[in-house]
Amino acid sequence: SDEVAAAVLNGVGRCMLDTDPRAALLKFTEAEVSHFSARTEVARALYLKAKALEKLGGSRNRRMAEQAQKDLREFYPGSEWARR
């Protein structure tokens, strides 16, 4: 199912977040784009995507992180991830 596939991508990305935030970012983006019907996991992916972008640093990545956070609050306002 989309929910399971997205959860796996988010889990793998989370494992890589501290050591390879760029690779983690790709997993979170894949979960967001490929499994958009899995609302809970897409919200989690947006939250983690922002974290990965913040770790990468730089003004462009900061802007992208802000956009991911905005999307999270706008499209998933009731999500536990939007409240973090």
Side-chain angles (χ1 to χ4, degrees), residues 7-56:
V8 168
L9 288 167
N10 282 334
V12 170
R14 181 62 193 96
C15 289
M16 299 195 281
L17 186 57
D18 290 332
T19 57
D20 192 350
R22 187 165 308 284
L25 176 61
L26 294 175
K27 296 297 180 189
F28 304 141
T29 301
E30 183 179 352
E32 174 194 4
V33 173
S34 298
H35 304 287
F36 56 88
S37 68
R39 295 184 56 79
T40 301
E41 289 301 324
V42 170
R44 181 179 174 211
L46 285 167
Y47 175 84
L48 293 168
K49 180 179 176 178
K51 294 294 181 195
L53 287 160
E54 289 167 3
K55 283 187 175 289
L56 289 169

